[in-house]
Amino acid sequence: MQLTQKHPLNILLGIFNKMTMFLCLFVFFVSFSAWSKPKTQVFYNYTIEGFAQVQIQNKSGKELACWIAIDGFKKKFRLPPATTSQWLTASDKRYDYTSFSTWCDYIELYPQYRKYPTGGDVLGK
């Protein structure tokens, strides 16, 4: 028995092939974007005096260009592989962890960050 173009089995096989192709493309693009982001973790804390603090940990094997910002004030620094920055403390007790904004990306994409000191030298003092 030869299957014709309009046979239900051919229609189902065509739908299955299209779904398989869509799933493969979806997995490729999702995994690519997941691998392209640097792996970091942000920690929040409060000092004994009640001031909010933030710290970034570099969990990747590459140096990162980073900044930590609060209320228009931005500290830019480099974060070496597998290290943690010093604590950056807010200057007002009214700030909490939601007041901080953090960002990190591979330093190869932002060569202008090479002029900034490493996270251990610039923060937390």
Side-chain angles (χ1 to χ4, degrees):
M1 175 173 133
Q2 194 134 30
L3 299 177
T4 63
Q5 186 70 356
K6 294 186 179 182
H7 193 275
L9 189 55
N10 277 346
I11 294 171
L12 286 175
L13 286 175
I15 292 171
F16 179 75
N17 285 340
K18 289 179 184 177
M19 287 175 49
T20 303
M21 178 65 101
F22 174 78
L23 183 63
C24 289
L25 287 172
F26 177 78
V27 168
F28 173 77
F29 285 112
V30 168
S31 64
F32 181 78
S33 65
W35 289 346
S36 67
K37 295 179 183 177
K39 293 178 177 32
T40 61
Q41 186 171 4
V42 180
F43 300 103
Y44 299 101
N45 193 19
Y46 286 94
T47 64
I48 295 173
E49 297 85 19
F51 293 99
Q53 293 180 312
V54 66
Q55 183 181 54
I56 301 176
Q57 181 181 21
N58 182 356
K59 291 186 168 191
S60 69
K62 295 194 174 208
E63 187 175 33
L64 302 179
C66 299
W67 56 253
I68 297 174
I70 186 167
D71 196 32
F73 177 73
K74 188 183 285 187
K75 281 281 196 180
K76 296 179 180 180
F77 57 95
R78 293 178 292 127
L79 197 54
T83 60
T84 304
S85 71
Q86 296 291 325
W87 289 102
L88 179 64
T89 305
S91 59
D92 193 333
K93 289 185 180 183
R94 292 177 289 182
Y95 294 123
D96 63 2
Y97 70 94
T98 60
S99 304
F100 288 102
S101 177
T102 61
W103 169 85
C104 287
D105 206 350
Y106 296 111
I107 201 155
E108 293 88 17
L109 303 174
Y110 301 91
Q112 67 271 24
Y113 272 77
R114 294 201 186 275
K115 67 181 178 184
Y116 294 109
T118 59
D121 298 335
V122 73
L123 300 176
K125 297 203 165 60

